[in-house]
Amino acid sequence: MNGLMMQQPLLISNLLKHAERHHGEREIVSRRAEGDLHRTSYAELAVRARRLANAIEAHGIGFGDRVATLAWNGYRHLELYYAVSGSGAVLHTLNPRLHPDQLTWIIEHAEDRMLCFDLSFLPLVEAIATRLPTVKAFVLMTDRAHMPAASKVPNLICYEELIESHEPTYEWPVFDENTASSLCYTSGTTGNPKGALYSHRSTLLHSFAAALPDALNCSAQDVILPVVPMFHVNAWGLPYVACLVGAKLVFPGPALDGKSLHDLFEAEGVTVSAGVPTVWQGLLSHVEAHGLAFSTMRRTIIGGAACPPAMLSSFQDRHDVHVIHAWGMTELSPLGTVCVLKPHQRSLTPQDRSALQAKQGRVVFGVDMKVVGPNGDALPHDGKTSGDLLVRGPWVISSYFKGEGGDPCINGWFHTGDVATIDADGFMQITDRSKDVIKSGGEWISSIDIENIAMAHPAVAMAACIAAHHSKWDERPLLVVSTRPGASATREQLLSFFEGRVAKWWIPDDVVFVDAIPLGATGKIQKNRLRDRFKLHRLPTDGP
Amino acid sequence: MNGLMMQQPLLISNLLKHAERHHGEREIVSRRAEGDLHRTSYAELAVRARRLANAIEAHGIGFGDRVATLAWNGYRHLELYYAVSGSGAVLHTLNPRLHPDQLTWIIEHAEDRMLCFDLSFLPLVEAIATRLPTVKAFVLMTDRAHMPAASKVPNLICYEELIESHEPTYEWPVFDENTASSLCYTSGTTGNPKGALYSHRSTLLHSFAAALPDALNCSAQDVILPVVPMFHVNAWGLPYVACLVGAKLVFPGPALDGKSLHDLFEAEGVTVSAGVPTVWQGLLSHVEAHGLAFSTMRRTIIGGAACPPAMLSSFQDRHDVHVIHAWGMTELSPLGTVCVLKPHQRSLTPQDRSALQAKQGRVVFGVDMKVVGPNGDALPHDGKTSGDLLVRGPWVISSYFKGEGGDPCINGWFHTGDVATIDADGFMQITDRSKDVIKSGGEWISSIDIENIAMAHPAVAMAACIAAHHSKWDERPLLVVSTRPGASATREQLLSFFEGRVAKWWIPDDVVFVDAIPLGATGKIQKNRLRDRFKLHRLPTDGP
C-alpha cells in the first residue's frame, strides 16, 4: 500500500523556481573574466535561465544531450547550470586545467553537442575546435563588445546575443527525477578519465544533506563564496545549496590569488567559503604578509585534500575562522563526511581538538561508510585499524559513464580507493590513498601523516612522501620537499624534525629537494609523476 | 537517459540504522507513564526496535497492516515508530484526547490490527476494547511489574515481555519508498475524521527539510524535547529529525504541566523544544510565578495555532529564548512555513521585528504556496491582500485515506482552508481559517487579529472571536473571553482596549464572558461549539 502524498519529482528546476519565488531579491555577485564586478539576483537569474533554455533548445539540444562548459565561477556559468539541467539536457563541466589532448578526448567521449566557454579559454578552444566533431555550437560566454573580430572557432556564438534573442517565458519540463542532470569526469592517475553522471534526484538529495547544520550549515543569512571551481564536482554542490536556502552567492571568476579573494570576501561580506588547501595557502600567505583580517567570514570548508594541521591552526587560532574539514569525491557528488564535533567532544583540550579536526569527519545522513580488510570483512571502528574505505548512498555513483573502468562497486558499496580509520564516534580519517600507502616490511606507513609533519616545518613549502624501493623492507618512505622562497633546511634538519612526532620506523629514510612538487588539474599532488622520477632512487639505508 | 547513481529508496529504517551506527551512544531520556525517568541510547533503541519488528511480525502484522498507538511521548513509542514503519507496516498514532466514540470510529475505519497503549490509557481501552473488531492484539506498553492482575482487555500483552521474547537480529526490509509508513487522522469541525497517509519518501524528505538551518535547525549538538505529542502529526517530525542528526531526545511522557516541563528542561539540558501555544502558556506561567529561568534552552518552535504576540515577547524579551513561529498541518507532515528572518530584516526596529515574527513565515524548500481569490487567480504577495492559502510539495497529501472527503486538491494544489497574506519577502500570515473569518458588509475581519489583541489585555486568560448575526452587516465580531484567576474586566474596558489597535470597524460589537473557552483534542479553540452556543446572541448594535 502506497502513501497518499503528492508525487513531485526532485528536479533541479525546483531549486531555481524556489529561489525566484521566495528569494528573488537576493544577490549574485560575480567577478567576470572580463575583469569587472557584476551584480544580479535570483529573480534575474531565473529569467535569463529561461531565455537560455529556449536558446539551447533552438540550437537542437534535446533531452539527454550534453552541453559542455569551460568556465570560471560566475553568474553565466550558474545560468547554464540551471538552464541545461532544467531543460532535461546534461551539463558537462570541463576542467580547463587538463591538457588539451585530455579535453579533446573527454569532449568526444561525452559526445558534447554544445561548448560554452569564458573569454579566458578562447585560445584553448581555438586550438582544439577542429578536433571536436561532436560539437555543433560554440558559445563564447561574453557580450558583443568583447567578441573577437575574427576567430578560428567556427560560427562562434555570442552568449549575450543568444540570451537576448530568446523569450523569457519557458515552462520547465517535469520528468523522472532519475534523469541525468550533469556529468563530471575524474582523471585518475592511470587509465582514461571516467565520468560521474549525476541525476536530478541525487543532486537534490545531496543539496538537502549539504545544507544541514552539521554539514555546510547554509541558510539565507549566508553569503557563500565558492572558491572550489564550478567545474570541480559542481563546486561541491554550493550553486544548488545557495538556491535551496536563498543565500547570497559571490563568484570569484578567474581571480583566485590571495589578494583578489580577500578583497572580495571583505567587500561582499562573505560568511562562508569552500576550497582545496592549495588555494587557502595562497590566501593565508597574503593575509599574513599584509597583517589583514577576516571581518565577516565565520567558517571555511576545506576538502579535496587533507587540510594540513598548520593551516587549520592558522585559520582558527590566528583568524577566528572556523575550519570545517570535509571529505568527498567526484563519485560522491561529492559530500561524504564533515568534521563537525559531537557535544561530548567540545570539552577536549585544544590539542586533542585539533587532532580531531584533522580527521575528515563523520558521515552526513544519506551516506554510510565502512572500512574493510583485504578479505572484505568490516574492520572495527577503533580509530586505529585502517582499511579500504567503502561508501554507499543515494548520491554515490553506481557505475561510470558508458561503463568505463568496470564496476566500481562490490555488493552495493563503492570502493573509494582511500585507506582510512573510523573511530568509535564515527569520525573517519584518511590515512592514505590505497596506491600511495607505503608498505614497509608488511606494515603500512601513511604518506599523508609524513607529509603533514613535514609541512609544519617552517622551511617547507610543500612535501610529498612516496615509497622508494628497499631490498630488506620492500618499501621505505622517501620525502620529496620544495622549500619556501628564502628558506632552507638540510636533509638532517628535516629528518630530525620527525623525532618524537611519529614512530621511529615511520621516519623517512631519505629527503630529496625539488624546485616544485607537481600538481594535477585539481590541485592535488601528482605522486605518480614523483614515483616515476624517483623510481631508481637509492636509499642511503639500503646496504651496499 | 538516467543518471548512474545508486538506487537507494528513502526508508525510515535508514534513519534508525544511521543513528545506531553513527550516534549509538547518544541518549534518549523519557519520563514514563509509570512515573520514573528512563535513560536509553540510539544503540539500544535499534536493538529493541529489531526485537519489536520480529514480535509484531510474529503476531501476524504484515506489509501495510496498521498498528495503532495510544501513547505519550516516550522511548517505547519511539520504538514503535521505527519498528512498525521499518518493517513495512503502518504506524497509526491515535489522539487519546478524542471522545471514545470517535476513537472507536477511527480504529475501525483504519482497520487497525494491533493496539499498543500506555498505562494511562488502560481504562480508556478497557472501555472500548469490545467495540474494536479489527484489533487482534492489545499491547500494554509497560513491564511485567506494572501489568494489571486482571483486565477487561482480552489477551492483554505485556510490551516488555513481547520485546524480550524475540530476537534482536532483524534485517530491515527494502521496499519502494512510496510505501505507506504512517497514518494520522485529523478531525475537522464537521464530518468524520480524515486520515493523512504518509509515505517513507515523504517522511524522509520532510526530515531533511525540517532539520535545515532556516527550519528547525537541528544538529548533533541539540537536546530536543518535543512537547508536541507523538500522536499529533508525528510530533512535527522531530522523532525522525533526531535520528537524522543524532540529537539527544528528551520525552516528557504524560507530565505536560509547567513545573514538570521546566524541571526536565533544566535537568537534561534541553536546547530546543516545540509545541502549541496553550502548553507554553502553562510553562511560562510557572516560570514567571516562581522567578525561574531557562538556562540551556535556546529556541522554541511554536505552531499548531498562531503564537500570541504577548507570548513571543515573553519568551524572547524576558527569557532570552528565541521563538521560531512555524505553520503546518496534518496534511503537510506538518511543516509548511517557518518564521526565520532574512538578512535585511535583522535591522528592523524591535517593534517591526515582533510584527514580522508574528507571521507564520516563509516556506522551506520543497513546499510552494500561493494565495488565491474566489475565482482561483493568484493574488499579489503584498502582505495585505488575503485569500485562500494553497500549498504543494512532496510531503503534502494528495488525498485522504480511503478517499474520504473527496479530492482536497485542485490542479495539484492542496486547499488548506486557511486565509492568509504573503508579503514581498515571502512571509505568510494566517489571517483566519476560511470558516472562521467574519464577513461584515462584504469585507473580511480576521478573528485571529481580534483574539491576539484581546489576549494582550492583562485580565484575559483566553479569547475567541466569532461571527454573530447582524441584520445590517450580515456578520459582526463577538468576543468571547475567559478571565485570569483573580482578574476581572468589564465589557467596556475590553472594548476600549481595542481603540487605536485596530481599524474602528473591526472592534467587536459585544463581549461575553465564559468560565472556559472549549478546546479540542489538539488544544485548538473549538469555535464551532462557541458558534452553536451563541448563535442566537443578540448584538447591542443591532437595532431594535
Side-chain angles (χ1 to χ4, degrees):
Chain A
M1 182 173 62
N2 279 356
L4 294 169
M5 308 303 286
M6 288 188 184
Q7 279 302 327
Q8 295 200 342
L10 301 171
L11 298 178
I12 287 174
S13 56
N14 294 349
L15 292 166
L16 183 62
K17 286 193 270 188
H18 173 79
E20 180 185 25
R21 275 178 72 75
H22 303 289
H23 300 280
E25 77 300 341
R26 200 75 168 122
E27 271 191 313
I28 301 163
V29 180
S30 308
R31 182 167 277 150
R32 294 200 276 202
E34 292 92 330
D36 59 345
L37 209 63
H38 174 271
R39 313 187 88 83
T40 182
S41 67
Y42 284 114
E44 207 180 329
L45 166 70
V47 171
R48 285 170 55 92
R50 290 196 294 267
R51 286 181 184 272
L52 186 55
N54 281 319
I56 61 174
E57 286 190 3
H59 272 80
I61 302 295
F63 200 77
D65 284 347
R66 271 76 73 201
V67 174
T69 61
L70 260 178
W72 302 110
N73 291 6
Y75 69 103
R76 290 185 185 120
H77 207 172
L78 190 67
E79 290 161 6
L80 283 157
Y81 262 56
Y82 284 100
V84 174
S85 302
S87 69
V90 176
L91 179 84
H92 175 201
T93 49
L94 291 162
N95 185 341
R97 297 193 187 117
L98 292 174
H99 189 278
D101 290 347
Q102 266 186 306
L103 276 176
T104 311
W105 186 93
I106 290 175
I107 291 169
E108 187 161 359
H109 187 266
E111 302 168 62
D112 294 327
R113 298 279 306 274
M114 181 183 259
L115 174 58
C116 306
F117 55 101
D118 269 339
L119 261 181
S120 334
F121 305 117
L122 181 57
L124 170 61
V125 175
E126 285 182 327
I128 62 173
T130 57
R131 294 155 58 199
L132 305 174
T134 64
V135 178
K136 304 304 176 198
F138 293 89
V139 180
L140 184 54
M141 293 162 65
T142 191
D143 53 22
R144 170 51 51 194
H146 289 81
M147 287 296 284
S151 169
K152 276 179 271 182
V153 179
N155 306 318
L156 188 59
I157 297 165
C158 169
Y159 183 90
E160 288 299 330
E161 288 190 343
L162 187 69
I163 292 243
E164 281 154 28
S165 61
H166 288 86
E167 291 299 316
T169 50
Y170 179 87
E171 275 292 320
W172 298 107
V174 175
F175 41 74
D176 188 318
E177 66 190 29
N178 292 301
T179 300
S181 62
S182 34
L183 177 63
C184 188
Y185 280 73
T186 175
S187 40
T189 46
T190 55
N192 285 320
K194 291 172 287 197
L197 188 67
Y198 310 114
S199 69
H200 286 259
R201 173 183 168 94
S202 70
T203 304
L204 272 270
L205 292 177
H206 181 270
S207 303
F208 268 123
L212 289 175
D214 274 352
L216 311 186
N217 191 19
C218 294
S219 77
Q221 297 301 319
D222 279 311
V223 180
I224 304 176
L225 188 150
V227 173
V228 51
M230 290 168 77
F231 57 74
H232 183 59
V233 215
N234 304 321
W236 299 350
L238 289 170
Y240 303 117
V241 168
C243 271
L244 191 150
V245 304
K248 174 175 167 179
L249 266 172
V250 182
F251 289 123
L256 298 178
D257 61 287
K259 179 177 181 345
S260 300
L261 283 180
H262 185 261
D263 288 353
L264 205 52
F265 281 169
E266 294 297 307
E268 298 300 330
V270 172
T271 59
V272 56
S273 189
V276 297
T278 38
V279 171
W280 298 135
Q281 199 75 63
L283 176 65
L284 281 175
S285 300
H286 170 76
V287 165
E288 286 173 8
H290 295 82
L292 301 171
F294 296 101
S295 58
T296 59
M297 188 142 84
R298 293 290 155 263
R299 62 197 191 282
T300 181
I301 300 141
I302 300 188
C307 173
M311 180 176 293
L312 196 142
S313 150
S314 177
F315 266 121
Q316 296 196 160
D317 303 338
R318 288 214 291 281
H319 296 293
D320 204 21
V321 174
H322 186 70
V323 168
I324 301 174
H325 201 191
W327 170 83
M329 299 179 78
T330 302
E331 292 87 341
L332 269 77
S333 303
L335 201 61
T337 63
V338 186
C339 194
V340 173
L341 270 51
K342 289 184 171 181
H344 70 274
Q345 295 165 332
R346 299 268 156 177
S347 53
L348 289 174
T349 65
Q351 200 176 350
D352 288 347
R353 197 170 152 152
S354 292
L356 187 61
Q357 280 197 275
K359 299 192 176 191
Q360 275 72 18
R362 52 191 169 93
V363 291
V364 290
F365 172 74
V367 172
D368 198 5
M369 65 178 174
K370 62 178 177 181
V371 283
V372 300
N375 56 2
D377 288 349
L379 298 174
H381 291 194
D382 59 7
K384 288 173 196 156
T385 313
S386 67
D388 291 315
L389 179 66
L390 275 52
V391 296
R392 64 179 176 188
W395 53 86
V396 178
I397 66 160
S398 56
S399 61
Y400 290 102
F401 189 43
K402 295 183 173 180
E404 295 296 326
D407 190 349
C409 302
I410 298 174
N411 294 330
W413 290 85
F414 174 77
H415 280 244
T416 65
D418 280 324
V419 176
T421 61
I422 301 175
D423 68 20
D425 288 311
F427 282 64
M428 185 271 286
Q429 184 160 32
I430 303 281
T431 52
D432 227 325
R433 289 292 294 168
S434 55
K435 62 183 186 306
D436 292 340
V437 94
I438 297 153
K439 295 180 196 80
S440 170
E443 297 286 338
W444 287 5
I445 296 173
S446 160
S447 64
I448 291 175
D449 281 4
I450 305 293
E451 288 156 10
N452 277 338
I453 293 166
M455 296 281 278
H457 189 283
V460 173
M462 198 167 282
C465 182
I466 58 172
H469 175 74
H470 192 284
S471 49
K472 178 175 177 195
W473 302 109
D474 211 20
E475 293 181 357
R476 286 293 302 157
L478 168 65
L479 185 65
V480 186
V481 160
S482 68
T483 51
R484 289 180 188 275
S488 72
T490 64
R491 173 186 180 281
E492 288 67 31
Q493 284 168 338
L494 285 180
L495 290 182
S496 66
F497 189 68
F498 283 87
E499 277 164 27
R501 289 186 161 88
V502 74
K504 252 195 158 35
W505 66 277
W506 276 38
I507 298 179
D509 282 25
D510 203 4
V511 180
V512 292
F513 294 90
V514 296
D515 290 340
I517 304 272
L519 298 179
T522 55
K524 291 181 192 177
I525 295 174
Q526 292 185 301
K527 291 204 184 171
N528 55 331
R529 289 185 55 190
L530 291 176
R531 278 191 286 260
D532 276 353
R533 182 168 164 191
F534 295 105
K535 73 179 163 204
L536 299 177
H537 185 83
R538 188 174 172 80
L539 292 173
T541 51
D542 205 358
Chain B
M1 183 172 62
N2 278 356
L4 295 169
M5 309 303 287
M6 288 189 184
Q7 280 301 327
Q8 295 201 341
L10 301 171
L11 298 179
I12 286 173
S13 55
N14 294 348
L15 292 167
L16 184 63
K17 285 194 269 189
H18 172 80
E20 180 185 25
R21 274 177 73 77
H22 304 289
H23 301 278
E25 79 298 345
R26 200 74 168 123
E27 271 189 313
I28 301 164
V29 180
S30 309
R31 181 166 280 151
R32 293 201 276 202
E34 292 91 332
D36 59 345
L37 210 62
H38 175 271
R39 313 187 88 85
T40 181
S41 67
Y42 283 116
E44 206 182 328
L45 167 69
V47 171
R48 286 171 53 94
R50 290 196 295 267
R51 287 181 184 271
L52 187 54
N54 281 320
I56 62 175
E57 287 189 2
H59 271 80
I61 302 296
F63 200 76
D65 283 346
R66 271 77 74 199
V67 173
T69 61
L70 259 178
W72 302 109
N73 291 5
Y75 69 103
R76 291 186 185 119
H77 206 171
L78 190 67
E79 290 160 6
L80 282 158
Y81 261 57
Y82 285 100
V84 174
S85 302
S87 68
V90 176
L91 178 84
H92 176 201
T93 49
L94 291 163
N95 185 338
R97 295 191 188 121
L98 292 174
H99 188 277
D101 290 347
Q102 265 187 308
L103 277 175
T104 310
W105 186 93
I106 291 175
I107 292 169
E108 185 160 2
H109 187 266
E111 300 166 61
D112 294 328
R113 299 280 303 274
M114 180 183 259
L115 173 59
C116 306
F117 55 100
D118 269 338
L119 262 182
S120 333
F121 304 117
L122 181 57
L124 170 60
V125 175
E126 285 184 326
I128 62 175
T130 56
R131 293 153 60 198
L132 305 175
T134 65
V135 178
K136 304 302 176 200
F138 293 89
V139 181
L140 184 54
M141 293 162 66
T142 192
D143 53 23
R144 170 52 49 196
H146 289 82
M147 288 295 284
S151 170
K152 276 177 274 184
V153 180
N155 305 318
L156 189 58
I157 298 165
C158 169
Y159 182 90
E160 289 299 331
E161 288 190 343
L162 186 68
I163 293 242
E164 281 155 29
S165 61
H166 288 86
E167 289 302 314
T169 50
Y170 179 87
E171 276 291 320
W172 297 108
V174 175
F175 41 74
D176 187 317
E177 67 191 28
N178 293 300
T179 300
S181 62
S182 34
L183 177 63
C184 188
Y185 279 73
T186 174
S187 41
T189 45
T190 55
N192 284 322
K194 290 172 290 196
L197 187 67
Y198 310 114
S199 71
H200 286 259
R201 173 183 169 94
S202 70
T203 303
L204 272 271
L205 292 177
H206 181 270
S207 302
F208 269 123
L212 290 174
D214 275 351
L216 311 187
N217 191 20
C218 294
S219 77
Q221 297 301 319
D222 279 310
V223 180
I224 304 176
L225 187 149
V227 173
V228 51
M230 290 169 80
F231 57 75
H232 183 59
V233 215
N234 303 321
W236 300 350
L238 289 169
Y240 303 117
V241 168
C243 272
L244 190 150
V245 303
K248 173 175 167 180
L249 266 173
V250 182
F251 289 123
L256 298 177
D257 60 287
K259 178 176 183 347
S260 301
L261 284 178
H262 184 263
D263 287 354
L264 205 52
F265 283 168
E266 294 297 307
E268 298 299 330
V270 172
T271 61
V272 55
S273 187
V276 295
T278 38
V279 171
W280 298 134
Q281 198 76 62
L283 176 65
L284 281 174
S285 299
H286 170 76
V287 166
E288 287 174 8
H290 296 82
L292 302 171
F294 296 101
S295 59
T296 59
M297 187 144 85
R298 292 289 154 264
R299 61 197 192 284
T300 180
I301 300 142
I302 300 188
C307 172
M311 180 176 291
L312 196 143
S313 150
S314 177
F315 267 120
Q316 296 196 159
D317 304 337
R318 289 214 291 279
H319 297 292
D320 205 21
V321 173
H322 186 69
V323 168
I324 302 173
H325 202 189
W327 170 83
M329 299 179 77
T330 303
E331 292 87 341
L332 268 79
S333 304
L335 202 60
T337 64
V338 186
C339 195
V340 173
L341 270 52
K342 290 184 169 181
H344 70 275
Q345 295 165 334
R346 298 269 155 176
S347 52
L348 289 175
T349 64
Q351 199 175 353
D352 287 348
R353 197 170 152 153
S354 293
L356 186 61
Q357 281 197 276
K359 298 190 176 194
Q360 275 72 17
R362 51 191 172 92
V363 290
V364 290
F365 172 72
V367 172
D368 198 4
M369 66 176 173
K370 63 178 178 180
V371 283
V372 299
N375 57 3
D377 289 350
L379 298 174
H381 290 194
D382 59 8
K384 287 172 197 158
T385 313
S386 68
D388 290 316
L389 179 67
L390 275 53
V391 297
R392 63 179 178 191
W395 54 86
V396 179
I397 66 159
S398 56
S399 60
Y400 290 101
F401 189 44
K402 297 186 174 179
E404 294 298 325
D407 189 350
C409 302
I410 299 174
N411 294 328
W413 291 85
F414 174 77
H415 280 244
T416 65
D418 280 325
V419 177
T421 61
I422 302 175
D423 68 21
D425 288 311
F427 283 63
M428 183 272 285
Q429 184 162 30
I430 304 280
T431 52
D432 227 323
R433 289 293 292 170
S434 55
K435 63 182 183 308
D436 291 340
V437 94
I438 296 154
K439 295 180 196 85
S440 169
E443 298 286 337
W444 285 5
I445 296 173
S446 158
S447 64
I448 292 175
D449 282 3
I450 304 295
E451 288 157 9
N452 278 338
I453 293 167
M455 297 279 281
H457 189 286
V460 173
M462 196 166 284
C465 182
I466 57 171
H469 175 73
H470 192 284
S471 48
K472 179 175 175 191
W473 302 109
D474 210 19
E475 292 181 1
R476 288 293 302 158
L478 168 65
L479 184 66
V480 185
V481 161
S482 67
T483 51
R484 288 179 189 276
S488 72
T490 64
R491 173 185 181 281
E492 288 65 32
Q493 284 167 337
L494 287 179
L495 291 182
S496 67
F497 189 68
F498 282 88
E499 276 164 30
R501 288 185 161 92
V502 75
K504 251 198 160 31
W505 66 277
W506 275 39
I507 298 178
D509 283 23
D510 203 4
V511 180
V512 291
F513 295 90
V514 295
D515 290 341
I517 304 270
L519 298 179
T522 57
K524 291 182 193 176
I525 294 174
Q526 293 185 301
K527 290 202 185 174
N528 55 329
R529 289 185 55 190
L530 290 176
R531 277 190 287 261
D532 277 353
R533 179 167 166 192
F534 293 107
K535 75 179 161 202
L536 298 178
H537 185 82
R538 186 171 175 83
L539 293 171
T541 52
D542 205 356

